[in-house]
C-alpha cells in the first residue's frame, strides 16, 4: 500500500477482499479473514497508542495536517480533537460552504445544508454531499452518512431604482 493511499480507498480494498471471500461460500474462511482484520487493527492501534503516548500532545498536534496520519489516529480513537472539531475541520475544506445541522452519534448521520452565503451552487446537493463524505471519510470515521437538507430561503431581492413610469429628472 502506497503512502498516498487514503483511508477510504484502504477500506474499499479490505471490503473487496472480504466480499471475494464471501462469494466463495466458505463461511469459516470469511470468519477467519474478518478476525484477522480485527486482530491486525488492534495490533496497529496499540502500537499507535504507544507512539502517541510517548510523543505527547505537541508533536502529535503538528501531524494533524497530514491526512493519512489524521485518519489513522481517528480510526483508532487516538485523534486529539473531538468529533465535532474534526467534522468542522473537514467541512472547512469544501469548495461549497455548508452549515452543519447536527450529528447523531447513535446512527452516524450528519445533517448539512448549503450555507446561505450566495455561493455558486455548482453541482447541486448530490455533489456537495459526495464532497462532504470524501472530506469526512478519513478524519471523522464516526460519520457514516451525510444527509442534505434544503438551503434556507433567500430573502427577496429589492431593486432600488427609477420606475420606468417615473418622469426623468432634468437638471
Amino acid at each position: 500500500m502506497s503512502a498516498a493511499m487514503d483511508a477510504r480507498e484502504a477500506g474499499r480494498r479490505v471490503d473487496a477482499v472480504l466480499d471475494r471471500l464471501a462469494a466463495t461460500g466458505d463461511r469459516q474462511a470469511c470468519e477467519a479473514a474478518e478476525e484477522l482484520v480485527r486482530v491486525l487493527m488492534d495490533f496497529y492501534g496499540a502500537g499507535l497508542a504507544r507512539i502517541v503516548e510517548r510523543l505527547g500532545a505537541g508533536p502529535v498536534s503538528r501531524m494533524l495536517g497530514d491526512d493519512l496520519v489524521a485518519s489513522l489516529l481517528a480510526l483508532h480513537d487516538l485523534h486529539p480533537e473531538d468529533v465535532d472539531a474534526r467534522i468542522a475541520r473537514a467541512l472547512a475544506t469544501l469548495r461549497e460552504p455548508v452549515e452543519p445541522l447536527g450529528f447523531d452519534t447513535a446512527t452516524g448521520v450528519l445533517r448539512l445544508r448549503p450555507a446561505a452565503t450566495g455561493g455558486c451552487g455548482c453541482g447541486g446537493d448530490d455533489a456537495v454531499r459526495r464532497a462532504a463524505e470524501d472530506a469526512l471519510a478519513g478524519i471523522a470515521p464516526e460519520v457514516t452518512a451525510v444527509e442534505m437538507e434544503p438551503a434556507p430561503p433567500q430573502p427577496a431581492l429589492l431593486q432600488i431604482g427609477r420606475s420606468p413610469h417615473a418622469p426623468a429628472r432634468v437638471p
Side-chain angles (χ1 to χ4, degrees), residues 96-99 101 112-117 121 124-125 128 148-152 154:
E96 292 287 326
V98 294
E99 185 180 335
L101 300 176
L112 303 173
R113 75 173 166 207
T117 60
D125 285 353
V128 173
M148 294 297 295
E149 302 280 329
Q154 297 295 315

Side-chain angles (χ1 to χ4, degrees), residues 7 10-11 41 45 48 68-79 86 137-142:
M41 289 285 295
L48 282 172
L68 182 59
V69 172
S71 65
L72 284 171
L73 292 173
L75 183 64
H76 292 284
D77 201 24
L78 298 169
H79 201 289
R86 289 183 281 120
I139 196 167
E142 300 91 340

Side-chain angles (χ1 to χ4, degrees), residues 15-78:
D15 285 341
V17 170
L18 293 175
D19 288 346
R20 284 197 323 260
L21 271 172
T24 67
D26 187 340
R27 186 179 170 115
Q28 286 182 324
C30 291
E31 289 171 0
E34 289 176 6
E35 182 180 357
L36 177 62
V37 169
R38 279 191 299 277
V39 168
L40 286 173
M41 289 285 295
D42 290 346
F43 175 70
Y44 285 113
L48 282 172
R50 186 166 296 167
I51 291 168
V52 167
E53 177 185 312
R54 291 192 176 170
L55 281 177
V60 171
S61 294
R62 288 192 298 271
M63 293 187 293
L64 296 181
D66 183 298
D67 291 342
L68 182 59
V69 172
S71 65
L72 284 171
L73 292 173
L75 183 64
H76 292 284
D77 201 24
L78 298 169

Side-chain angles (χ1 to χ4, degrees), residues 109-121:
V109 175
L110 175 65
R111 292 181 315 107
L112 303 173
R113 75 173 166 207
T117 60
C120 75

